[in-house]
């Protein structure tokens, strides 16, 4: 009961373009909002491309694959869903044009003996393969060699601190794309405040961002019916429950986490309780009550003021808590409990026969623990004193309807994902920092490179020789491809590739390095970490001279230094918004394509370069002052004369996110093109035993 | 055919009852409903303003982002003006005098025509609501002020004028119990001890656990539990408790035993009554069947019985009033529901007024005044602001005009009798006149008082028809 169809690139293009047209209107700062309605009657205002695409409920499996790719990219970087799908559609359109040309195309050589269908499949595979080659080798190379000199650093000083102005312009640009200009100022202020309030010391930045992203649901609350301007940041946590008992307390409040009921039941599971006499039953009831009372007294003696429980406690516990002056918050979610445990480093208390008399150590101290009324709901507001790298704060989103608060919350969450990406670097040190004890010298790197290269060839031959692989096979091979790519991007030796030579020969350490990397060549046996640090220091020292991020003139010295360090993208690299990244990459891809010896790569680079331009085209289609042609012309002429790019808008965006976006799009296209056959199965696949029995019948 | 018919003038009931399919309207009604859930009042105002804003903005047909930017600025103008001391349409509420508070309550109640109140009824009810509210304010002011509670007791099929307020709580009891209850045990002449239970005293087995319980033949757990209950009763009597209230059910045997010893028992009061009860008497809800701590008991000043129509109530009179009961009467079920909502709205409005003791002029005067202020401002806006918003002066003025028109549109909705609406050129207040006036007559002969009643026709104000083209003035 399955229908099979071969992959039609024309259909792929149509699907991608249909998806792109659904989100195109919301792209950029002047884009509009979309209103999604659910069958249940709820409405959601959104500019989130992922939200819209996921809501479409698509039929074609390939379109669903595209949306899945978008979602994966979005959940990682918190941005770029709309750009992703537009880029994808343009890229597919470009590739289709290559396929249609046939004559003289490098992808149709020496395959005359095959039949036309196989030929078609083969050329698709070839394109897919070249795309992967491009992504893993040439993209990084261009980023490191050419684009790098245009990057600005978000860090204002060499300690890696980020100034508030820079942070604001990054966040403002982000919110401009995510929620439009209605509340972007407010939200970027809010998220900026949140960032600086939550961070307790500089080195804890990544830990803080990880915690915020993981527990964002617990760290924000929404209130409907109040104006958006009432949105604010509160110190401490807001637990989304009310007190079961509230006893006001002052000073340092000792708190305890429990994950089970304090009151013991008559019989535990798996045990039998035999009642021999009525007196015995009464006595055991009394004993249970006395035990609960004793535990609560014990807690009181240990000066415990608040009990945070993940389960519902019995009424008797509530009663004794009230008498002992202990507040109780019950039915906390497991996430809330684990967030509290992580920030304070304590573990839950389990009342047993042994510790009922001993001192309680696993406690946390709070400055305050009081009820908080948000809208019509009562919550618990908790201010902890001793915490980890994360200074507990939480955000309250206000808005007229749930749809608005949800939009703001998801944009806020996305902003922190984006920041997480911003501080990621693509460089050699990534692999080394994980294991600082193991010195990675040039020789080791080389061997590991050789290994990867071998794997890569294996993989490509597998794909090339197996034209009948169906979707599941494709999935497998795609999965296979991922670790390779990840490995490669981890080590990032691609920065060592020189321009002009063929890919395989390139994987040798460069010998042409000059100052400041000269030191590196001298100490070849030294860990790469040190080299990196030297380069870094050199770089940051120069950055010190130009503290203003939006400096109009970068001195030429910086250019030379940047182009010779072994870093593809430095942590905190940013570019001005407004399609600058796309125009730059377009320019350098074109110039690369002109000198490239391999016809396939030349063709692919041209296609990608042209597809990239579609983004600034849309961005400038609605403005009056700057048309796209003007902007593009100015930018290109500036690049040709080695000048700084003209800037049209305030605001900065993370280079890493953009780089990830291009890489993900290329992955997605490569994945789509390797599909040979689409098999529609009406029924869920069943296990083999079931099939056997059916045959027997 | 058939079905439930409801007459209402409350936005919450109106919007809740409508089934809306258009997505934009869904967003609009949802935001109005959320507004009501926070502020109780002014739902219809919000809805009308939203609709006319959409309508007027669509008419000028600018790019959406320009309109958003300008109207955002207009909104900030409005809020800044309303917050400023110079604001001409707000008055501060003085809690020392009853007059402003009373007119605040009155305007809430009078704005709900479906309550079907006449003037005396509205006045009577306003007094009651205000009285009830004042009873919930604590006498001593600490840092954290917690207001008491006003419990509304429904008495249907009686006249509105029979409504009344009692300090303390009224709990309905069956008539049969009424005869048996008195006299009650007192600790002293003005103190009655009370115990409040939040667990079931019905004698059923609780918290058996997940395992199995094996009971030998001839042993009854129910008897064992009842034995415990009676022991509890004994302790209560020894402790001189005069009133036992239970959230859930009390076992009949325990009830009988307590009543034999002149202890009044009330059960099944429900979870909603627990908070006012414990607030009223200072008692803590007890959850143990044995060794009840005497600190949990609360105290009452007196106990009385009251009866209304066919209902009998036990009146719990506290030492310190923070909780009061409003007996609300109306002729039928539907009108009572409407009236209850209106009273709750008025109570909430009073609570919000404590937070910020400011009130706006009613009767449409705030809207017309604000509209003329915005018009005036749009003509005198500095060019730097226009540059920041990135729009031309004409664009700004057109949007501001649409904004003012929407405000005036809300004011116009207050005129139900097909009359004309005038505004004066001095204060920008709202004046309603009969339609069909001769075109050459003197305006001051037609008008009597403005909407809020602050201005009268004695002052020589320069009147003009609302929404006619006129020169902007400084209000």
């Amino acid at each position: 009961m399955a229908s099979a169809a071969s992959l039609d690139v024309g259909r792929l293009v149509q699907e991608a373009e249909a998806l792109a047209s659904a989100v195109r209107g919301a792209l950029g700062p002047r884009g509009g909002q979309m209103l999604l309605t659910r069958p249940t009657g709820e409405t959601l205002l959104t500019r989130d491309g992922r939200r819209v695409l996921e809501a479409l409920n698509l039929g074609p499996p390939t379109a669903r694959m595209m949306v899945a790719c978008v979602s994966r990219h979005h959940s990682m970087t918190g941005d770029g869903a709309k750009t992703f799908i537009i880029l994808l559609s343009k890229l597919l359109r470009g590739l289709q044009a290559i396929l249609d040309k046939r004559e003289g195309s490098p992808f149709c050589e020496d395959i005359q003996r095959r039949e036309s269908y196989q030929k078609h499949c083969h050329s698709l595979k070839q394109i897919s393969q070249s795309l992967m080659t491009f992504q893993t080798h040439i993209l990084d190379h261009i980023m490191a060699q050419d684009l790098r000199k245009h990057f600005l650093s978000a860090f204002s000083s060499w300690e890696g601190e980020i100034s508030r102005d820079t942070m604001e312009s990054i966040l403002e640009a982000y919110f401009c794309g995510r929620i439009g200009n209605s509340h972007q100022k407010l939200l970027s202020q809010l998220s900026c405040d949140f960032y600086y309030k939550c961070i307790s010391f500089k080195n804890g930045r990544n830990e803080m961002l990880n915690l915020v992203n993981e527990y964002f649901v617990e760290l924000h609350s929404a209130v409907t019916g109040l104006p958006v301007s009432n949105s604010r940041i509160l110190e401490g946590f807001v637990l989304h429950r009310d007190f079961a008992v509230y006893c006001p307390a002052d000073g340092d409040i000792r708190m305890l986490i429990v994950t089970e009921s304090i009151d013991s039941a008559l019989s535990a599971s798996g045990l039998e309780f035999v009642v021999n006499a009525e007196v015995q039953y009464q006595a055991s009831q009394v004993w249970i009550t006395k035990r609960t009372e004793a535990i609560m007294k014990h807690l009181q003696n240990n000066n415990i003021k608040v009990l945070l429980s993940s389960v519902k406690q019995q009424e008797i516990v509530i009663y004794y808590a009230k008498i002992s002056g202990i507040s109780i918050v019950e039915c906390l979610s497991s996430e809330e409990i684990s967030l509290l445990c992580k920030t304070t480093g304590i573990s839950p208390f389990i009342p047993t026969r042994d510790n009922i008399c001993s001192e309680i150590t696993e406690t946390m101290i709070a400055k305050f623990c009081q009820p908080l009324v948000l809208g019509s709901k009562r919550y618990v507001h908790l201010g902890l004193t001793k915490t980890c790298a994360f200074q507990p704060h939480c955000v309250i989103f206000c808005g007229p309807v749930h749809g608005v608060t949800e939009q703001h919350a998801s944009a806020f969450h996305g902003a922190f994902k984006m920041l997480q990406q911003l501080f990621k670097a693509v460089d050699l040190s990534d692999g080394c920092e994980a294991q600082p004890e193991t010195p990675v010298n040039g020789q080791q790197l080389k061997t590991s490179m050789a290994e990867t290269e071998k794997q890569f060839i294996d993989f490509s031959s597998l794909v090339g020789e197996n034209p009948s692989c169906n979707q599941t096979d494709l999935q497998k091979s795609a999965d296979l491809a991922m670790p390779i790519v990840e490995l490669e991007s981890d080590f990032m030796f691609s920065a060592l590739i020189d321009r002009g030579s063929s890919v395989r020969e390139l994987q040798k350490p460069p010998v042409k390095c000059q100052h400041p990397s000269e030191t590196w060549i001298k100490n070849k046996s030294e860990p790469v970490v040190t080299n990196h640090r030297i380069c870094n220091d050199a770089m940051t020292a120069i950055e010190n001279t130009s503290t203003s991020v939006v400096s109009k003139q970068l001195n030429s010295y910086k250019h030379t230094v940047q182009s010779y360090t072994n870093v593809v993208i430095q942590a905190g690299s940013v570019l001005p918004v407004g399609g600058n990244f796309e125009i730059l990459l377009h320019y350098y891809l074109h110039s690369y394509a002109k000198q490239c010896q391999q016809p396939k790569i030349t063709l692919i680079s041209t296609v990608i370069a042209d597809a990239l331009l579609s983004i600034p085209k849309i961005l400038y289609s609605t403005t009056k002052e700057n048309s796209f042609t003007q902007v593009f012309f100015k930018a290109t002429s500036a690049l040709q004369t080695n000048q700084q790019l003209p800037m049209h808008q305030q605001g900065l965006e993370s280079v890493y996110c953009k780089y990830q976006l291009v890489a993900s799009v290329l992955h997605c296209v490569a994945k789509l093109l390797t599909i040979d056959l689409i098999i529609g199965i009406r029924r869920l696949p069943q296990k083999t035993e079931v099939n056997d029995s059916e045959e027997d019948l | 055919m058939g079905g439930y018919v409801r007459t209402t003038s409350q936005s919450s009931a109106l919007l809740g009852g409508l089934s809306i399919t258009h997505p934009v309207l869904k967003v609009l009604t949802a935001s109005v409903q959320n507004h009501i859930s926070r502020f109780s009042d002014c739902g219809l105002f919000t809805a009308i303003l939203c609709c006319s804003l959409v309508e007027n903005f669509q008419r000028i047909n600018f790019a959406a982002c320009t309109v958003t930017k300008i109207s955002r600025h207009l909104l900030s103008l409005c809020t800044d003006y309303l917050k400023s001391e110079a604001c001409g349409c707000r008055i501060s509420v003085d809690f020392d005098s009853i007059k402003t508070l009373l007119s605040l309550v009155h305007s809430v109640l009078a704005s709900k025509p479906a309550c079907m109140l006449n003037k005396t009824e509205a006045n009577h009810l306003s007094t009651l609501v205000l009285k009830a509210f004042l009873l919930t304010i604590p006498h001593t002011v600490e840092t954290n002020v917690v207001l008491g509670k006003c419990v509304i007791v429904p008495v249907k099929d009686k006249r509105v004028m029979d409504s009344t307020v009692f300090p303390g709580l009224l709990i309905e009891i069956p008539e049969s119990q009424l005869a048996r209850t008195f006299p009650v045990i007192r600790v002293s002449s003005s103190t009655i001890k009370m115990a409040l239970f939040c667990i079931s005293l019905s004698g059923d087995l609780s918290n058996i656990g997940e395992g199995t319980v094996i009971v030998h033949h001839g042993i009854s757990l129910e008897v064992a539990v009842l034995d415990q209950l009676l022991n509890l009763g004994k302790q209560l009597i020894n402790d001189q408790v005069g009133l036992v209230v239970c959230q859930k059910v009390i076992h009949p045997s325990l009830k009988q035993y307590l009543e034999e010893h002149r202890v009044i028992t009330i059960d099944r009061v429900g979870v909603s009554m627990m908070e006012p009860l414990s607030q009223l008497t200072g008692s803590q809800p007890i959850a143990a069947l044995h060794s009840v701590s005497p600190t949990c008991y609360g105290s009452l000043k007196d106990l009385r019985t009251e009866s209304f129509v066919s209902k009998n109530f036990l009146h719990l009179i506290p030492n310190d009033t923070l909780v009061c009961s409003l007996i609300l009467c109306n002729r039928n079920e539907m009108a009572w529901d409407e009236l209850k909502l209106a009273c709750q709205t008025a109570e909430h409005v009073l609570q919000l007024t404590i937070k910020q003791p400011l009130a706006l002029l009613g009767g449409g005067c705030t809207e017309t005044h604000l509209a003329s202020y915005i018009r005036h401002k749009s003509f005198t806006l500095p060019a730097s602001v226009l540059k920041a918003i990135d729009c031309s002066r004409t664009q700004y003025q057109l949007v501001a005009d649409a904004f003012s028109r929407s405000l005036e549109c809300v004011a116009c909705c207050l005129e139900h009798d097909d009359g004309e609406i005038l505004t004066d050129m001095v204060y920008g207040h709202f004046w309603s006149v009969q339609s069909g006036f001769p075109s050459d007559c003197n305006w001051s002969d037609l008008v009597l008082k403005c909407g809020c009643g602050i201005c009268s026709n004695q002052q020589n104000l320069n009147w003009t028809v609302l929404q006619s083209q006129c020169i902007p003035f400084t209000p």
Side-chain angles (χ1 to χ4, degrees), chain A residues 37 41 182-183 224 263 265-269 271-276 278 281-282 289 315-316 319 322 375-376 400-401, chain B residues 23 26 30-31 34 38 72 199 205 207-214 216 219-220 224 227 248 284-285 287 290 293:
Chain A
T37 53
S182 48
H183 296 295
T224 54
D263 190 44
L266 207 53
S267 62
S269 82
L271 293 175
E272 280 182 356
F273 179 80
V274 183
V275 184
N276 288 319
E278 282 154 17
Y281 175 75
Q282 285 174 356
T289 314
E315 275 152 335
I316 188 95
Y319 168 65
K322 183 89 187 163
S376 53
V401 274
Chain B
K26 265 186 189 165
S31 24
N34 285 330
R38 289 293 88 76
R72 179 161 300 279
I199 50 163
L205 307 169
N207 200 13
I208 292 296
E210 286 165 352
T212 39
V213 175
I214 297 166
H216 280 238
I219 292 167
S220 162
D227 215 34
K248 292 166 185 172
Q284 276 173 26
H290 20 77
S293 158

Side-chain angles (χ1 to χ4, degrees), chain A residues 137 448-458 504 507:
Chain A
H137 299 106
S448 78
M449 274 188 273
E451 271 170 30
T452 359
E453 179 64 8
K454 210 174 119 228
Q455 277 180 329
F456 187 76
I457 296 161
D458 284 348
R504 215 168 294 176
Q507 313 225 334

